[in-house]
Structures are given as C-alpha cells and as structure tokens.
Amino acid sequence: ARIMGVEPDSLEVDQPLSTFGLDSLLALELKNNLEGRLDFTLPMAKLMEGPTITSLAQETARLVIEGADNVERPVTLRAKSDEEWTPLFALRPTGTRPVLVLLPALGGDVRYYAEIVQELGDDQPVYAFRPRGIDEDMKPHQSMAEMMIDYVAALRKLQPNGPYRLAGWSTGGIFAFALAEALEQAGQSVAFVALFDAPLPTICENLDPEDDAKFLCDLLNFANCLAGTNVRLDYDQLLTLTPDERFQTALAEARRQGTVPVETPEAYIRRLVHVGEANVRAIQSYEPRLIAGQVHLFVPATKGGLAEISSRELPAVEDNGWTPEIGQSVELHEVPGDHFTMLTGDAAAEIARQLSSLVSIESELKTLRARS
C-alpha cells in the first residue's frame, strides 16, 4: 500500500493490484521490497500476471517455504531456457510510437528512469533490460560478449528488425552502446544511442570485482550519492579484518546508516553484489568501436559526478572522451542538474522532450524513405 500510495483499508485482497495502479516500475519496487525483507526470489512474471493480494501472498509463501526446505542443499546456478527467463520487460508496453529500450547501470535498477518514462507519455512504449542473476538464481554474465548474445536475442524477439532506439544512464550507457554495436554486427540498424552522462568503460578499471567487501562499499557509496546524502563507507578502515569480516562490518554499517534496511537479508545483498561484480567484469572486457547509428550524449550542467563515482581525476572533456574513443561525432545535449539528479525534475522533462524529438524525426525519415 505504501509503494502504490493507496490506503491499506481500501485494498480488496481479491482485486487485481493493477486496478490500484501497479505498473511495471511499481511492480519492480514491490518485488525488490519483498525479496529484501523475506530473502527469496519472486519472478517478475508473477507480478506481470495481474496478481491479487491473496494470490501474491500465496505465491510468496510457497517460494519462501521452498527456500526454507532447500536451505541445507547446495544451490546450483543454471542457465534457463528462453521460455523460462528473459532479460527484457516492459515499463510501458503500449503506444503507437517506435519502442525505446533502456539499459540499467551497475546496480541493475531501472526505477531511476521513472520520471523520464512518465514524461515520455502514454504513446511511447518503453522496455528495459535486467541483468541475469538479479531476478533469478542464475549465474550472471561474465563478459560483454556473453551478455549481448542474450540481449540481442531478447530484443529481436520483441522487435525482429531495426532500426532500434537505445538509451542508458551512467554505466548503463556503456551497455546501451555495446548493444548497439552487437545489433549492427548482427546485420541490424540502430537509429540512435542516447547516453545520459555515460563514461567510457575505463571508469571501471580500478574496481576490483574479486573483493566482495570493497565492491559492497563502492555500490553503497554510489547509492548514497544517488540519494543525495553525504554518508560514505570507508573501505580502508576495514583492511585489518578478514575478507568475510570486512563484508559483515560494511553491511552492518550500511544498516546502521540506513542505506540498507535492517531487515534485508545478507544473502540478498550478496546476490546484488555478485551481479554487480560480474557486470564490472563485462565492462572491463569491452572496448567500444565505431557504429553506424547516431550517438547522442546528454551531459549535466553541473560536472564532477563521474569523478565522484570513480574516486579519481577524470579528463575534463565535454563528451566524456567518447569522440576519440569511437572515432565518430557525438551530438551533445546539456540538461540541468548533475550526474545524480539529471533523471529527475526539469532535467528528466528535457531529456524526455529531446528523446521524443529524436524518435519522431527518425520515424518521419523512415516514412519519407518508404514513399520515395
């Protein structure tokens, strides 16, 4: 009820939650909330099937009980078939305009696109990717090439042929660019890639994906920056402890600070950390190359956010280094805010306006080509 902004007394336990305004983004928040409190995995598909409070409670109870029954058994991470798992899901499945596809940053969360999706309007279909291992007990992708095989297959199942329209914020922009490159290598066309203050893959070169405690500190500090707080976890203060003690101490401090809810199980946090570490490996294995599609970089008026994330000095260049890296021109669009606020308020409205214009222009050109 808190997530949907509905009074608990007004909820009917046998009425579909969609009738109370449970859309894809709210469903994702509900999923994360339940999993974080109860230490189980709730398939996203269960929330997309129009559940009621009763049916969702029954399914949750079944999954939690199954997890308790299997607690003594070793967990085997397995690759599921296409019918069982897909990395792509709808944030807004309807609308007459060409589909826009969003890629998440390292944490795998796409809820920070909520305001942009809202500003784009009801006629703009929007889909988003979720990294493997976030929603299921599956081994995360270990390289960009492996990830893009699944992403291209899932996107082409939704939309068999291009042109495709892709976007991503922060490191999500790196994944968006990699997907554009993979689609073109598969013989498909890409209309544009919109990068929202995306850095080059070298942003991750100093991250250690083998140190769970260090990565947890980095992930939590990123979350604190996104939340606009000045709270930070200092990994150097943990170095006198054993690796497992470091993780436990960092998690305990995050709970004390309120960055992680007290009731969130350690197993849930470790799952997020392992997926994030795998995504770092994927970025570290990737070097972007020239693509045929247009590249648009949205940069915030207030600089310095990427340096804050990486905790090191970065070259002071307008396009974050993309032009010399990929060998093609990058069209710049300045929006209000900084790296962490550019997806909200006036900045979100401006990004949505320009994205809508890009989609419209590309659609008009396609119509003109077809007529000629």
Side-chain angles (χ1 to χ4, degrees), residues 112-348:
Y112 39 65
Y113 293 124
E115 290 192 39
I116 289 179
V117 173
Q118 183 68 30
E119 292 285 350
L120 284 168
D122 294 339
D123 199 36
Q124 177 62 66
V126 183
Y127 283 73
F129 280 94
R130 292 272 284 174
R132 192 171 73 186
I134 285 283
D135 298 324
E136 303 284 354
D137 286 329
M138 300 172 67
K139 185 177 181 181
H141 294 110
Q142 298 300 304
S143 70
M144 190 68 82
E146 180 189 9
M147 178 185 290
M148 290 306 131
I149 289 173
D150 281 344
Y151 282 18
V152 168
L155 184 51
R156 295 196 66 190
K157 189 173 182 179
L158 170 71
Q159 179 185 331
N161 296 297
Y164 297 97
R165 302 145 196 91
L166 313 172
W169 170 69
S170 195
T171 50
I174 299 173
F175 293 117
F177 194 92
L179 180 54
E181 195 175 337
L183 285 165
E184 290 190 352
Q185 289 172 354
Q188 296 298 313
S189 63
V190 173
F192 65 80
V193 184
L195 311 176
F196 308 146
D197 203 27
L200 292 175
T202 50
I203 193 80
C204 290
E205 64 184 6
N206 292 334
L207 294 180
D208 184 0
E210 308 304 324
D211 187 336
D212 287 1
K214 177 66 167 63
F215 194 84
L216 175 61
C217 288
D218 290 337
L219 204 60
L220 292 170
N221 287 338
F222 178 79
N224 286 329
C225 287
L226 191 57
T229 70
N230 293 320
V231 176
R232 298 293 183 270
L233 292 174
D234 187 354
Y235 176 75
D236 291 341
Q237 295 181 1
L238 307 177
L239 292 178
T240 59
L241 305 174
T242 66
D244 195 57
E245 288 173 337
R246 292 173 200 165
F247 190 94
Q248 300 283 352
T249 303
L251 182 54
E253 179 61 16
R255 285 175 171 151
R256 188 190 69 79
Q257 295 174 355
T259 308
V260 174
V262 174
E263 65 272 17
T264 303
E266 180 183 332
Y268 177 78
I269 299 300
R270 285 190 181 272
R271 189 175 82 195
L272 297 182
V273 166
H274 291 157
V275 171
E277 289 172 336
N279 283 184
V280 165
R281 294 187 194 97
I283 290 175
Q284 290 174 339
S285 71
Y286 174 62
E287 294 183 12
R289 293 289 183 263
L290 175 76
I291 63 171
Q294 298 177 9
V295 182
H296 296 264
L297 179 64
F298 291 77
V299 294
T302 303
K303 314 301 180 186
L306 290 175
E308 187 175 358
I309 292 172
S310 61
S311 299
R312 61 190 177 94
E313 291 294 325
L314 295 174
V317 289
E318 278 191 321
D319 68 353
N320 295 343
W322 279 95
T323 297
E325 179 71 16
I326 60 178
Q328 71 185 92
S329 62
V330 174
E331 186 166 340
L332 296 178
H333 308 263
E334 187 173 273
V335 296
D338 59 26
H339 184 77
F340 303 102
T341 63
M342 65 184 298
L343 302 186
T344 62
D346 292 342

